[in-house]
Amino acid sequence: MIMERVLTLVLLCVLSAWANIPDVEKVSVIGRTETELTFQWKVENSSYSYKLATNVIGDIPINASEAEYLNYTVSPLSPGTNYSFTLYTVFENYTSKGFYFSNVTTPSNVNSVSVIDRKENQITLQWSKVNNSNDYGYELYWNEENSSIPISQTNTVEYNVTSLDAGTEYFFTLYTVFGHVMSSGYSFTNVTMPSNVQDVNVKLNDTEMILQWDVVSNTNNNTYTYTLENKDELTVNCTNQTAEGNEVTCHISDLTPATNYSFTLYTEFADLRSTGFKFNNITTLSDITEVTVNRSQTELTISWNKLNNNDIYNYTLKSQGEGSEKNFTGSAVGDVITHTYSSLTPGTEHSFTLFTVVNKAFSRGFSFKNVTTLYCTSFNWTVTNSSIEAKVNGSTYVKAQNSTGSVKNGTVNQNSLTLQGLYPGGSYNVSLFYYLESELLPQCTHHLTLDPYSVSHLRCEYHSGGYGLAVIWDTPYGVVDRVQVDVDRKSFNKSYSSEKQIRLEINGLQAAKKYTVTATSFSGSRRSQTVSVNCETDPAGVIAGVLVFFLLVIIICVAVFAWRRYGSAKRNKMTNPLVEPKVPNKNYKPLPLNKFPEHYQNMSRDENRGFSEEYEDLSSVGIEQSSIAALLPENKDKNRFSNVLAYDSSRVHLTTKDEGDSDYINANYMPGYGNASRQYIAAQGPLPSTVNDFWRMVWEKGSQAIVMLTNCIESGRVKCEQYWPLDYTPCLYGNLLVTVKSEDKLPNWTLREFNVKNKDTSETRTVKHFHFTAWPDHGVPAGTEELIQFRGLIRQHIESSFSAGLTIVHCSAGVGRTGTLIALDVLLQQLHKEKAVGIAAFVQEMRLSRPLMVQTESQYVFLHQCIMDSLQPKAGPKSEPLYENSDMIYVNAIALKEYDNQSQI
Ligand SMILES: *[C@@H]1O[C@H](CO)[C@@H](O)[C@H](O)[C@H]1NC(C)=O
Ligand SMILES: *[C@@H]1O[C@H](CO)[C@@H](O)[C@H](O)[C@H]1NC(C)=O
Ligand SMILES: *[C@@H]1O[C@H](CO)[C@@H](O)[C@H](O)[C@H]1NC(C)=O
Ligand SMILES: *[C@@H]1O[C@H](CO)[C@@H](O)[C@H](O)[C@H]1NC(C)=O
Ligand SMILES: *[C@@H]1O[C@H](CO)[C@@H](O)[C@H](O)[C@H]1NC(C)=O
Ligand SMILES: *[C@@H]1O[C@H](CO)[C@@H](O)[C@H](O)[C@H]1NC(C)=O
Ligand SMILES: *[C@@H]1O[C@H](CO)[C@@H](O)[C@H](O)[C@H]1NC(C)=O
Ligand SMILES: *[C@@H]1O[C@H](CO)[C@@H](O)[C@H](O)[C@H]1NC(C)=O
């Protein structure tokens, strides 16, 4: 062992003597900090020691080591500095040549990094150079990226980190680089600026706004907050900000109306907010939409509730008409604001506009109109028994309602109103209205009572043995509270009764005296026209007294007279007017033909005195009958004359299809010869409004002959509507198409033939038109001959038709000429068949079916004349009969002969 050591020493001595000690082959840096460098090298021989020579610390002896590798740490060193070393291997007094190497310490990190600017996708960083040295480089790492920072010439480094995402937090590390060595790294985080919201949706009214926006989206799903700022530094917290889904809602209240609000909405993330989304909105200014107007004749009081029940608003009320303007301060008045315009004119329209006002800003304004009411009593009301008329102002519509609830209404045209078809004697509340902006404003109400109808058929009957009268009348249509009857300067009242016929018995009169009896109906204070009738109390009592006194004398006289002039007395009995009492519905008997000429002469005596008396007797026949249908409001206008109405009992009923149809026509069934109670229809000449009804009657009654006894126009007055076509062009009347097939004009009459076609059933009928043109109204034809011939034509037609239906006869009123012709036709039949005529009897019969049949005494006489002339055919070609009446002539001749014989007695 010692030997070996010796040998080694020897060898080393030899080697060192010869050659040098070997250097280490390689030095590795196995540790590096800012202040230390740790080296390692391989130990070739454990007897070697080392010497490290440095330029900063001087030589450092390093002891020998047994280990294979030797580690050595040099410190303290300066960071980021390049150091040079020489490592010598040392053995005994020998030293190797030296192994040279250099290496660097770790550089220092930057002291700090300032974030000097942050944008949505860029962050600007700034830091001071390490050791103020240009020897170092810098590298920045963030997220998955890194970048080398270019060397700058200044003491500070500024760097823009670009292409970043907005509103995102970034983690940065900045390294100082020296050689290839990087510092430990300076780490920091910061954020990019978030984006603004894209848009803000605003809903607003006077004092509130609701803002809505979508959340700002970002890749990291960061949650941002939002701050809304107002121009006036008023930060609206949006504490009641709610996010629902991707939507954020902010509710702002307590705003001022009509104000422009400028807002900026910031997106906030960490300590940073976005540039701000700017928008502005103006709060609205609402209008009052409801105003109450209290109206009177001279005042309009306008009131309204404060808008939204707050004091924010002021108000301005303008009246257009007067141009006046009234201001109200919201905070100075109560909840309801009221203003009265007074001293206005009744019935005038006024226009107003109500504005709300905030900070001198006016709302668009609520416009409304109203009208002052009226004094109904200030108008002149004219009342009749069926109408109310007045000249009024300040109203456009009128309504009348009676106690039964029946309502009539109408418009007011040019300040005049007319209500017709009212209930006679009815009490009406008449209300005026003003139509304003689709509203009917009540103007005033007036109570009016209509005049009642006069009583009808006022007449008397004997009563109380001649010391009284029974006054009888028919209850008129309509309301009648009472009827006042005046007789002999005394008044009697009869209050309302539902009976159709009223009888009032009046006592204490004188017998056999003429009294004028008047009757006036009353409804409330309204009175009808007074009707009067002359009545005579029963003379029987007086006559009885006188008779008792002179009875014997009379009996003797009569006995003597009868004994002497037996035959003559017997003949005169029939025509002595004194013998028969003046009561209606006498029982007239037909007169045999051989008695007729004598009768005719008796009647003609003393200027037709007999005719006058007989005709007068007929005047009251039938008049007590009712004509209710004729007087119904809907039918009243269908009558040509108010005194010629169709009796209910015998009137012609038209068939009705619709609810509203009326069955009324001014026409009555007329009896004919024999037992035929309905052989003719006596009708008035159609009015323009009843032409269709007339044809309806023609069709429904199956008439094949119309006898017309008037001209359409006589002495310049319309007597009858021309109810058939003017020419051969067909005319439609209702559903009946009438065509003139032929027309034959003769001197005294015109004959026509009509085709009547029912459009509903297409059935066609032929109707003959016998139009007598030579008969003046109320008068008689020049001679009897023409009318007798005309009647013959009609009779011939009736008898030649198989089922002729009823023959319609009309003139103008349908009573005078109509009655005369029907009577003539019937009487000539009677004359022919019975050899007797009952003129009075038949006129009486006709008058039970229609009033005034044979309307004048002259017509009555003319009728007799016709009969006379029929008995006594005139000679000459003129009397050539137009129809076969040869046996009539024969009959007439016999009658005449008989008459002549008698007059010779
Ligand atoms: C420092 O040492 C390391 C590791 O041994 C080596 O890679 C590097 O090249 C050396 N640096 C210099 C400047 O010689
Ligand atoms: C030298 O350093 C290496 C690596 O750092 C280590 O493994 C070894 O044990 C060290 N040697 C000594 C003698 O300390
Ligand atoms: C080495 O140096 C020391 C002193 O410097 C000396 O005493 C010694 O003799 C030397 N050894 C050799 C072998 O030269
Ligand atoms: C980001 O930079 C700003 C400005 O330098 C700074 O005030 C802020 O504290 C930094 N933020 C963070 C998270 O370090
Ligand atoms: C960074 O960007 C800003 C513009 O955003 C520019 O003005 C500035 O010069 C840039 N700085 C550097 C160091 O490039
Ligand atoms: C404004 O609108 C809000 C929400 O629709 C409502 O609650 C509020 O009453 C309104 N305000 C006014 C003054 O109309
Ligand atoms: C963000 O959220 C969406 C859906 O909620 C998800 O698909 C996505 O991965 C999220 N992104 C991040 C960075 O978390
Ligand atoms: C916003 O709300 C926060 C907390 O709720 C409060 O501290 C702050 O004072 C409010 N800001 C404004 C301007 O109201």
Side-chain angles (χ1 to χ4, degrees), residues 360-378:
K360 290 178 185 161
F362 279 70
S363 67
R364 236 184 299 164
F366 173 66
S367 291
F368 57 99
K369 290 177 178 178
N370 217 303
V371 61
T372 46
T373 61
L374 293 168
Y375 295 106
C376 263
T377 48
S378 67

Side-chain angles (χ1 to χ4, degrees), residues 627 630 638-647 664 666 668 684 812-815 850-852 855:
S627 304
K638 296 180 183 173
N639 302 310
R640 183 175 283 278
F641 299 100
S642 61
N643 62 335
V644 182
L645 306 173
Y647 290 140
Y664 180 77
N666 190 318
N668 294 90
Q684 71 177 20
S812 184
V815 291
R850 188 169 169 84
L852 299 171
Q855 200 182 3

Side-chain angles (χ1 to χ4, degrees), residues 30-31 38-40 65-72:
I30 62 163
T38 302
F39 304 117
Q40 183 185 62
S65 166
E66 293 291 321
E68 195 184 356
Y69 288 93
L70 194 150
N71 302 344
Y72 186 77

